[in-house]
């Protein structure tokens, strides 16, 4: 075990797993629905099932899937830097927010999507806190299922250079349950193998 690759926080990932110390920035603006298509179809089903009207996509990338599968609803995409500017230029009539400028506690929506984002974040707890601060009825998280993608013996770092770490089913469930109540947890195998969690915010009663 290389101790230099062990973070101070494990995020419920097994002991001995090597988290990447650096990940390349992933540019999604050229993509359509090659990846995570099933996640957005699932999101559209939840919108219809619950008669929801508003959806926020945190880390929406090119927003192709958000627009293509959820355009009948009130959509807002949240992105960073150059991708945010790209969205403004290419879809000027849509609602976009820049991550650094957002005050999440003032946002309200029915559904939040955060699809294959947490594996790209060095300190994902910050992202989870950001999402928990948004007033939402349901949240959908997705991320690769490590045991299926890399095998149960995988000790990291991830093969994908844009990923800091990857979770298996149990690890992700425990990580999400710190702040959220898990209602459904699925594995969708399309071009990519994504585990998808449908959950809701834990609300303090104190």
């Amino acid at each position: 075990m290389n101790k230099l690759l062990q973070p101070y926080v494990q995020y419920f990932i097994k002991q001995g797993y090597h988290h990447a110390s650096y990940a390349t920035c992933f540019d999604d603006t050229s993509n359509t629905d090659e990846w995570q298509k099933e996640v957005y179809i699932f999101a559209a089903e939840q919108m219809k099932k619950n008669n929801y009207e508003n959806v926020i996509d945190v880390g929406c990338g090119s927003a192709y899937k958000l627009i293509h599968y959820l355009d009948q609803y009130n959509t807002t995409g949240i992105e960073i830097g150059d991708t945010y500017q790209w969205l403004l230029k290419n879809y000027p009539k849509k609602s976009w927010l820049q991550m650094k400028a957002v005050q999440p506690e003032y946002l309200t929506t029915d559904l939040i999507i955060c699809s294959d984002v947490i594996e790209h974040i060095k300190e994902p707890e910050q992202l989870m806190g950001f999402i928990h601060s948004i007033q939402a009825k349901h949240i959908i998280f997705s991320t690769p299922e490590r045991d299926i993608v890399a095998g149960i013996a995988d000790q990291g770092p991830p093969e994908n250079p844009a990923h800091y770490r990857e979770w298996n089913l149990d690890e992700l469930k425990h990580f999400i349950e710190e702040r959220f109540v898990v209602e459904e947890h699925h594995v969708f195998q399309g071009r990519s193998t994504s585990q998808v969690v449908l959950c809701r915010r834990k609300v303090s009663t104190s």
Side-chain angles (χ1 to χ4, degrees):
M1 182 176 71
N2 186 344
K3 293 184 178 180
L4 294 177
L5 295 175
Q6 303 307 303
Y8 179 72
V9 181
Q10 295 285 339
Y11 307 108
F12 290 92
I13 295 176
K14 64 183 178 182
Q15 291 291 328
Y17 178 82
H18 293 162
H19 302 236
S21 58
Y22 172 79
T24 59
C25 184
F26 178 68
D27 181 4
D28 185 67
T29 55
S30 64
N31 288 329
T32 57
D33 61 356
E34 298 94 337
W35 312 101
Q36 301 94 40
K37 176 180 177 180
E38 296 81 6
V39 178
Y40 284 80
I41 292 173
F42 179 68
E45 291 171 350
Q46 296 304 310
M47 294 292 289
K48 182 177 181 180
K49 173 183 175 181
N50 294 290
N51 294 315
Y52 287 164
E53 297 179 354
N54 305 291
V55 55
I56 292 177
D57 192 346
V58 178
C60 62
S62 72
Y64 176 91
K65 295 181 289 288
L66 177 64
I67 294 171
H68 188 75
Y69 294 104
L70 295 155
D71 195 42
Q72 62 184 298
Y73 304 106
N74 300 318
T75 64
T76 298
I78 300 179
E79 261 298 346
I80 61 173
D82 292 343
T83 302
Y84 168 71
Q85 296 298 331
W86 184 92
L87 291 165
L88 288 177
K89 179 181 178 180
N90 285 273
Y91 303 105
K93 295 183 179 180
K94 294 294 183 179
S95 175
W96 312 113
L97 297 173
Q98 188 170 21
M99 188 76 173
K100 288 184 177 180
V102 172
Q103 294 179 285
E105 63 272 18
Y106 294 114
L107 294 180
T108 301
T109 190
D110 294 314
L111 179 69
I112 298 171
I113 302 169
C114 185
S115 180
D116 284 36
V117 176
I118 59 173
E119 67 272 15
H120 295 276
I121 307 299
K122 187 173 184 178
E123 297 178 351
E125 184 61 36
Q126 295 181 7
L127 175 66
M128 302 301 271
F130 176 92
I131 291 173
H132 187 271
S133 296
I134 300 172
Q135 299 293 319
K137 297 171 184 174
H138 278 104
I139 305 96
I140 291 175
F141 291 102
S142 74
T143 192
E145 209 292 335
R146 189 189 68 239
D147 286 354
I148 297 176
V149 172
I152 60 174
D154 179 67
Q155 291 293 92
E159 182 177 330
N160 189 322
H163 292 184
Y164 279 99
R165 60 190 61 80
E166 293 169 353
W167 289 259
N168 69 16
L169 279 171
D170 288 339
E171 293 164 350
L172 182 67
K173 184 174 184 290
H174 290 313
F175 179 48
I176 288 178
E177 284 179 334
E178 281 197 304
R179 293 180 182 269
F180 305 93
V181 177
V182 173
E183 294 187 358
E184 298 182 31
H185 196 172
H186 310 281
V187 174
F188 293 153
Q189 296 198 50
R191 182 174 178 182
S192 60
T193 301
S194 293
Q195 51 176 319
V196 181
V197 176
L198 176 69
C199 57
R200 51 187 169 83
R201 300 164 64 242
K202 285 183 179 178
V203 180
S204 174
T205 57
S206 60

